[in-house]
DNA sequence: TGATGATCATAA
DNA sequence: TTATGATCATCA
């Protein structure tokens, strides 16, 4: 088996590719794709995600859009424990700190990305050697009305704080499903934002993340526990 | 022990 | 520089 050379043409084809790698280990997938396996993820944090992208035929490169733009589908691998519970929060996208007026929940990047997600759980217990971790069965998810409402409330609260110049007082403790945390190479990276007087200030870049409780709920619903 | 805040690699 | 892929690791 070899990785596909072109993007899938339909959601069904993408799901079929997913099912073809379900149950295999990261080591097997890396070997077949001729990809080097790092000893651990300390210096290769995005490695599982990149490997899976290759196997599903996602277009390479970083774009602020979905992984499969023509299908409108976003791919998210998620590390899980033996009980299928998420081990990490899920990064969604950067939080725009200099927002153009007129951006609403309906038109924001968070909602755009989460419209249709292909979740692919992967064993993430650090006691399991990286190459022995198995890939689970991927599944599609789109937010229910209730889920969309929860996300909207979090997004609006956080966005309001950014727009009114209070980005510095945002804590990752805010938000029931969606929260904001720093997202940068290190603490010295700065970007522009608005202060309370509307002036430009420098602050650390932030990203939107999904809480583990929320993704756990998604996994639970999908597998019918 | 888990969540928060910090960090790592890479591409364009 | 900002985006992608995320996980690490410290501290409450």
């Amino acid at each position: 088996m070899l990785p596909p050379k072109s993007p899938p043409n339909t959601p069904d084809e993408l799901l079929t590719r997913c099912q073809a790698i379900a149950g295999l280990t990261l080591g097997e997938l890396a070997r077949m794709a001729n990809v080097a396996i790092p000893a651990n993820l300390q210096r290769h944090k995005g490695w599982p995600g990149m490997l899976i992208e290759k196997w599903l035929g996602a277009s390479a490169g970083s774009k602020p859009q979905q992984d499969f733009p023509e299908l409108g589908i976003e791919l998210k691998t998620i590390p899980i424990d033996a009980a299928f519970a998420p081990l990490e929060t899920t990064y969604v996208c950067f939080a725009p700190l200099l927002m153009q007026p007129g951006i609403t929940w309906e038109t924001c990047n968070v909602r755009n990305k989460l419209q249709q997600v292909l979740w692919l759980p992967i064993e993430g217990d650090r006691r399991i050697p990286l190459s022995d971790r198995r890939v689970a069965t991927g599944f599609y998810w789109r937010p229910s009305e209730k889920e969309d409402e929860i996300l909207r409330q979090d997004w609006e609260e956080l966005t309001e704080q950014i727009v009114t110049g209070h980005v510095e007082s945002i804590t990752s403790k805010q938000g029931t499903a969606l929260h904001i945390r720093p997202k940068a190479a290190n603490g010295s990276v700065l970007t522009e934002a608005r202060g309370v007087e509307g002036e430009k200030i420098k602050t650390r870049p932030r990203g939107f993340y999904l809480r583990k409780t929320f993704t756990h709920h998604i996994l639970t619903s999908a597998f019918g526990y």
Side-chain angles (χ1 to χ4, degrees):
Chain A
M1 187 158 64
L2 291 172
K5 290 184 176 152
S6 54
N9 293 304
T10 67
D12 271 354
E13 187 181 351
L14 176 55
L15 199 56
T16 299
R17 291 182 182 186
C18 241
Q19 287 158 355
I21 63 171
L24 300 180
T25 65
L26 293 180
E28 290 169 330
L29 292 173
R31 261 180 274 114
M32 290 189 289
N34 200 25
V35 167
I37 306 167
N40 56 63
L41 294 180
Q42 289 180 13
R43 295 188 164 274
H44 301 271
K45 297 181 182 181
W47 187 80
M50 306 297 279
L51 180 63
I52 297 302
E53 280 188 352
K54 187 165 192 133
W55 274 99
L56 298 183
S59 33
S62 57
K63 290 172 251 176
Q65 292 306 313
Q66 291 106 336
D67 296 293
F68 300 95
E70 56 288 320
L71 301 180
I73 292 170
E74 171 76 8
L75 168 68
K76 287 292 177 200
T77 61
I78 183 167
I80 54 165
D81 66 14
F84 246 76
L87 289 166
E88 296 289 346
T89 54
T90 301
Y91 171 69
V92 180
C93 61
F94 262 95
L97 301 184
L98 288 178
M99 274 202 277
Q100 297 307 110
I103 298 291
T104 64
W105 168 241
E106 279 69 29
T107 58
C108 76
N109 201 231
V110 175
R111 187 158 192 260
N112 178 52
K113 285 227 175 179
L114 297 180
Q115 275 295 12
Q116 176 91 71
V117 178
L118 174 59
W119 291 100
L120 189 38
I122 300 178
E123 285 182 323
D125 190 321
R126 292 192 206 179
R127 290 169 301 187
I128 306 175
L130 188 54
S131 60
D132 293 344
R133 297 182 194 176
R134 286 168 302 176
V135 172
T137 301
F139 64 94
Y140 286 128
W141 169 80
R142 54 167 62 252
S144 66
E145 269 186 41
K146 197 173 174 181
E147 290 164 340
D148 187 77
E149 180 61 16
I150 293 168
L151 292 167
R152 184 183 64 76
Q153 283 182 15
D154 288 341
W155 181 87
E156 287 181 349
E157 174 188 336
L158 295 164
T159 296
E160 175 69 8
Q161 223 166 317
I162 292 172
V163 169
T164 55
H166 294 93
V167 60
E168 297 284 26
S169 64
I170 292 177
T171 296
S172 53
K173 294 176 182 62
Q174 291 173 247
T176 65
L178 190 70
H179 68 173
I180 282 182
R181 303 214 306 281
K183 167 70 171 168
N186 57 64
S188 66
V189 177
L190 296 176
T191 190
E192 288 191 322
R194 292 288 173 195
V196 278
E197 306 297 332
E199 78 281 18
K200 288 197 171 174
I201 60 170
K202 289 283 192 179
T203 188
R204 284 145 56 240
R206 315 298 164 95
F208 282 110
Y209 296 79
L210 295 178
R211 287 191 181 281
K212 287 198 276 186
T213 48
F214 189 69
T215 51
H216 191 192
H217 149 77
I218 293 173
L219 294 176
T220 299
S221 315
F223 289 88
Y225 301 144

